[in-house]
Amino acid sequence: MEHWDEGVYAIRGKGASGAIPLILSAGVHGDETAPVQVLESLQQQLLQRAVIPRRPLLLIIANQPALLNGKRFMQVNMNRLFGAPVRPPGYETKRVLALEGYCRDFADLYGVGWHLDLHSTIKPSRHEHFALMPACNRHYDDAWAPLLAHRGFTALVRQNTPAFTFSNFTCTKLGFESFTLECGAVRGSSASVLRPLLMALLEEDPFAAPGDAQLERFEVAIDLVKRSAAFRFLVDEQCDNFTTFPRDTALAQDSDVVVSAPCDDCALLFANSEVPVGDRAGLVLRPL
Ligand SMILES: [Zn+2]
């Protein structure tokens, strides 16, 4: 195992030549510790050769200062900086530039692969484990859905607007098949669902044995961007993720613009009016 930088480890793996490489990242948000613990224990097992991956692997613990301080980030939300045209000076920008470089180096060494960026949800969720696919001109979710469903994930959200997230970067800039995986509530344990999925992905052919479990599929109908300090929700923003609302329900208001549910059973995800102006305050989802 090579130690490329603080929290960045690369391992060649023992698979056939041409085995699809895998990037696993966690700790982009320093307050989402459960998936970090899973990756740290995996890293220890790789170090001790208790686990031998069948493919090249890049392991990233993204924001260690924030993790050490028990904070979501030090200066700015790291998951709004990957590939972003304008980035404020500070720790997160420096780190994001470095991580982008390591991912490029890894792709140069081993080819285009897969990336799972692991997160925890802050609020309770009607789907405890779910995947977000970045806006991408290729659709690879059909190939992944059976595997994710087989491993305990219950929903998949297809995004339509590019965001400057880590998974969007590896997908759009490097050509990877990437997902942001929400691996359970922030105070819960991710290990029981996450670890078997990661172990399967380190094997020869993780897609070989999925059953007939199904994912509930959604696409983003509206990105609720907080355009002014006056932004507020007109429904209870403390509601669980994936709470549904009937068509035409007034969901949010920004100055004199009211956003209403554009479909039947519209679901609200990541509602949070406390984000900085210009950031996403939530997603309105349409069931597929
Ligand atoms: Zn997160």
Side-chain angles (χ1 to χ4, degrees):
M1 178 185 287
E2 297 170 26
H3 188 190
W4 284 7
D5 194 353
E6 188 184 32
V8 182
Y9 305 90
I11 188 163
R12 181 184 298 271
K14 285 265 188 296
S17 71
I20 294 174
L22 172 65
I23 299 175
L24 296 175
S25 56
V28 161
H29 292 136
D31 55 347
E32 300 172 7
T33 52
V36 174
Q37 287 161 4
V38 174
L39 281 202
E40 282 174 344
S41 91
L42 177 61
Q43 187 252 333
Q44 283 304 311
Q45 289 178 302
L46 291 164
L47 201 60
Q48 295 155 4
R49 299 181 164 271
V51 172
I52 311 274
R54 310 298 297 177
R55 60 186 73 259
L57 175 64
L58 183 65
L59 235 158
I60 296 174
I61 308 295
N63 196 336
Q64 294 206 318
L67 280 158
L68 286 171
N69 285 283
K71 290 162 61 166
R72 193 162 179 76
F73 47 79
M74 299 307 286
Q75 282 121 9
V76 276
N77 183 348
M78 194 177 254
N79 228 13
R80 303 285 179 271
L81 298 179
F82 287 90
V86 181
R87 307 188 243 212
Y91 171 76
E92 272 85 8
T93 288
K94 240 187 281 175
R95 179 67 166 168
V96 163
L97 288 168
L99 294 181
E100 289 177 3
Y102 298 134
C103 291
R104 280 187 206 282
D105 293 346
F106 182 68
D108 286 346
L109 278 170
Y110 300 112
V112 171
W114 307 323
H115 174 208
L116 299 182
D117 186 35
L118 312 171
H119 289 250
S120 305
T121 46
I122 305 296
K123 57 169 69 173
S125 185
R126 291 189 179 181
H127 291 282
E128 209 186 330
H129 304 95
F130 60 98
L132 294 137
M133 190 176 83
C136 204
N137 50 18
R138 301 166 289 121
H139 284 170
Y140 45 80
D141 46 334
D142 286 341
W144 282 80
L147 172 67
L148 292 170
H150 179 57
R151 295 292 172 183
F153 285 74
T154 56
L156 192 147
V157 177
R158 192 186 272 184
Q159 293 172 282
N160 294 319
T161 318
F164 299 116
T165 61
F166 200 177
S167 62
N168 185 76
F169 170 81
T170 51
C171 174
T172 59
K173 304 289 191 212
L174 304 182
F176 276 46
E177 295 185 3
S178 309
F179 291 95
T180 300
L181 288 192
E182 298 289 349
C183 311
V186 76
R187 272 173 255 288
S189 164
S190 294
S192 59
V193 163
L194 188 51
R195 206 183 139 77
L197 171 67
L198 301 188
M199 295 311 289
L201 284 167
L202 297 178
E203 294 295 323
E204 205 88 49
D205 187 3
F207 297 97
D212 51 8
Q214 295 278 323
L215 289 179
E216 225 177 300
R217 306 270 203 120
F218 299 87
E219 67 172 353
V220 175
I222 303 171
D223 278 270
L224 286 171
V225 176
K226 179 173 175 174
R227 306 238 177 250
S228 78
F231 180 95
R232 66 193 174 99
F233 280 95
L234 302 174
V235 294
D236 178 13
E237 72 174 281
Q238 303 309 326
C239 66
D240 293 358
N241 283 327
F242 293 98
T243 297
T244 55
F245 296 93
R247 183 186 291 271
D248 297 330
T249 306
L251 297 173
Q253 180 167 10
D254 204 344
S255 300
D256 50 3
V257 180
V258 173
V259 178
S260 299
C263 52
D264 297 321
D265 294 322
C266 268
L268 192 56
L269 185 58
F270 302 140
N272 179 9
S273 62
E274 301 293 313
V275 297
V277 170
D279 268 19
R280 186 191 73 192
L283 297 172
V284 181
L285 309 181
R286 175 185 293 116
L288 290 174

